[in-house]
Amino acid sequence: MWSATRSRRTEADPEQVREAAAAMLKKRRFRTHVVGDAVAAEKGYLREAGNLIFHVSLILILVAFAVGQLFKSEGGKLVVQGDGFSNTLTQYDDFKSGSLFKTDDLAPFSFTLDRFDATYERSGPNRGTAREFVAHVTYSEGADGKPQKKAVEVNKPLVVDGSKVYLLAHGYAPSVTVKDGRGKVVFHGAVPLLPIDNNISSSGAIKVYDGYTDAKGKWDQLGFAAFFVPTYGGKGNGTMFSQFPALDFPVLNVGAYHGSLGVNSGLPQNVYQLDTDKMKPFKDDQGKVLKKTLLPGETLDLPEGAGSITFDKDIKQWASFQISQQPGNDLALTGSVLAIAGLAGSLFIQRRRVWVRAVTGKDGVTVVEMAGLGRSESAKLPEELADLAVTLIPEAPTAPDPAPEPAKDQVAEPAEAEGAEK
């Protein structure tokens, strides 16, 4: 609590003073009413409203969080340049959702990755750091939506019908062509490989499930352990890892296997790893696993006419996206804004009361007494009360102070009579 008082004398009538004080306080947005010989006024009710809004908004945020957790959906998808994605459950690489989510709640949209642009620092301490990281996509809403272009960047997602598509990562998908022993193409396409360092040295597996027959016409499956570097340091430098993330000197190292890939076991397997438990390696002249580092356009021939694999010159890029749907985000944002507004109101708005009392003194002059009471400590209350007193002067001019009364024990001595006897 914080209080302040003021007192003065005026030549105006008490009723005139009270009317002027009430009008002045109403002009300053005080709630006023007359009680006896005084005017009572109060201001700052919004402080209590701000306090109420703050606590209600906290409940709103909790409700929004609960709604978001119950109805949310989130999944990831790796898309190779030229390929697309349709927002259906089977299209996701991984997916998780809230307990009340239904597949019908997925927003109907699709997009195609047209190209991916990435540039990197070429020199200095930040060499290899990405300067540009943009996925250019063409998307459409619904089954018959009009195709639209969009550049998706980090922290700048594609927003479609309440769903947000975030750009997470990128890598390379070298194209290869695999032929069987008769020269028939049994596999041709871009194979995404996963980066293992900042220079996008990438590893993965190339798998040929169907259509392959060896030189004797026997059905078989092929698997290649693949290692790709976008910028090869060259032979003799002691490392196979990439020296830079851009496609300056790309090479592909493959190791060849044949046998069962394990897809008929019914057990899930990682498409980026090659399980060689039920496979046999092709051997080179030294009896080791047949491996070769290929430049774009070069071919590795399998022994005994078993076929070949060619590293095509077309090297595509891939981008991974996170598709997120959080139905409670707007509600949480509203609650947060209201909480900040309510907290600001409860902290900065001051609730205070003012009284103006006008009565007739003993000498017939009106005595005006002003008092203020603040609900919180504030040095501005005395200043505001003084300002109110100054504003009231034109309507109630200050009266002169009364002459001081003589003391009761002082008695005037009689003057000597002129011509008195000495």
Side-chain angles (χ1 to χ4, degrees):
M1 293 290 184
W2 189 268
S3 62
T5 59
R6 289 286 187 277
S7 179
R8 54 185 291 268
R9 292 158 52 88
T10 179
E11 298 176 351
D13 295 334
E15 185 65 25
Q16 181 182 351
V17 174
R18 287 191 289 267
E19 291 178 357
M24 176 191 64
L25 291 169
K26 287 180 179 179
K27 188 176 181 180
R28 295 178 178 236
R29 294 180 297 179
F30 278 83
R31 293 185 178 184
T32 63
H33 62 279
V34 179
V35 180
D37 54 6
V39 176
E42 188 169 0
K43 187 179 183 180
Y45 281 96
L46 285 178
R47 179 187 179 91
E48 306 302 329
N51 191 29
L52 179 62
I53 290 174
F54 173 74
H55 287 88
V56 171
S57 62
L58 292 182
I59 298 175
L60 188 63
I61 292 174
L62 292 176
V63 172
F65 178 77
V67 171
Q69 292 299 311
L70 291 173
F71 294 95
K72 75 173 183 178
S73 66
E74 185 177 277
K77 178 64 178 179
L78 185 149
V79 182
V80 178
Q81 179 182 347
D83 293 344
F85 167 80
S86 180
N87 194 27
T88 58
L89 191 59
T90 57
Q91 289 277 298
Y92 284 91
D93 295 333
D94 58 85
F95 186 84
K96 60 181 180 179
S97 63
S99 57
L100 297 182
F101 173 81
K102 298 180 181 179
T103 55
D104 294 339
D105 296 333
L106 288 173
F109 71 91
S110 60
F111 67 86
T112 300
L113 178 61
D114 299 327
R115 73 176 195 277
F116 190 93
D117 294 335
T119 57
Y120 305 91
E121 286 286 350
R122 288 282 177 179
S123 60
N126 294 324
R127 183 178 184 271
T129 302
R131 298 179 59 185
E132 183 184 31
F133 212 60
V134 185
H136 298 272
V137 302
T138 300
Y139 73 97
S140 59
E141 299 185 43
D144 302 321
K146 181 181 178 182
Q148 303 178 62
K149 300 289 186 178
K150 174 69 176 181
V152 183
E153 303 179 46
V154 177
N155 296 325
K156 293 182 180 179
L158 167 66
V159 181
V160 186
D161 194 16
S163 295
K164 294 183 178 181
V165 181
Y166 293 92
L167 175 62
L168 295 184
H170 121 282
Y172 294 104
S175 296
V176 296
T177 300
V178 180
K179 297 180 179 179
D180 62 9
R182 300 178 181 180
K184 178 185 176 182
V185 175
V186 293
F187 179 83
H188 173 71
V191 181
L193 304 178
L194 300 183
I196 60 174
D197 60 22
N198 292 333
N199 288 325
I200 319 185
S201 302
S202 306
S203 65
I206 303 170
K207 301 179 181 181
V208 181
Y209 299 102
D210 301 312
Y212 172 77
T213 55
D214 59 16
K216 300 179 180 179
K218 181 181 178 181
W219 178 88
D220 204 355
Q221 292 179 331
L222 294 179
F224 300 89
F227 191 83
F228 174 81
V229 291
T231 301
Y232 183 42
K235 294 182 178 180
N237 69 346
T239 180
M240 180 65 189
F241 291 95
S242 178
Q243 305 300 302
F244 195 73
L247 289 172
D248 291 348
F249 186 18
V251 298
L252 176 67
N253 182 275
V254 293
Y257 297 81
H258 68 99
S260 174
L261 291 169
V263 294
N264 297 325
S265 63
L267 299 176
Q269 60 176 231
N270 192 332
V271 296
Y272 303 104
Q273 294 180 352
L274 183 64
D275 184 2
T276 59
D277 289 343
K278 297 181 179 181
M279 304 190 78
K280 297 180 180 180
F282 287 100
K283 300 293 184 67
D284 58 13
D285 296 339
Q286 299 177 356
K288 298 180 179 180
V289 178
L290 179 64
K291 295 183 179 180
K292 185 176 182 180
T293 299
L294 304 174
L295 296 174
E298 291 186 342
T299 299
L300 169 64
D301 292 320
L302 302 178
E304 300 179 358
S308 65
I309 178 171
T310 301
F311 178 23
D312 300 329
K313 295 183 179 181
D314 181 21
I315 303 174
K316 295 184 177 181
Q317 301 189 67
W318 59 259
S320 64
F321 299 92
Q322 176 181 291
I323 299 89
S324 175
Q325 186 172 337
Q326 297 280 355
N329 283 350
D330 293 339
L331 191 61
L333 177 61
T334 302
S336 300
V337 173
L338 289 177
I340 294 173
L343 182 61
S346 63
L347 290 177
F348 298 109
I349 296 176
Q350 299 176 5
R351 188 175 177 183
R352 53 215 184 269
R353 293 176 180 177
V354 174
W355 293 270
V356 180
R357 183 170 178 264
V359 295
T360 303
K362 295 180 180 180
D363 57 356
V365 178
T366 302
V367 178
V368 180
E369 296 176 330
M370 304 179 69
L373 179 66
R375 298 294 298 273
S376 60
E377 184 173 342
S378 174
K380 291 185 178 181
L381 183 60
E383 298 177 5
E384 185 176 28
L385 201 62
D387 183 58
L388 291 173
V390 172
T391 307
L392 195 59
I393 290 177
E395 299 295 334
T398 303
D401 294 333
E405 297 180 2
K408 294 181 179 180
D409 58 348
Q410 291 182 351
V411 179
E413 295 183 2
E416 285 188 5
E418 187 176 342
E421 186 176 344
K422 295 183 180 180

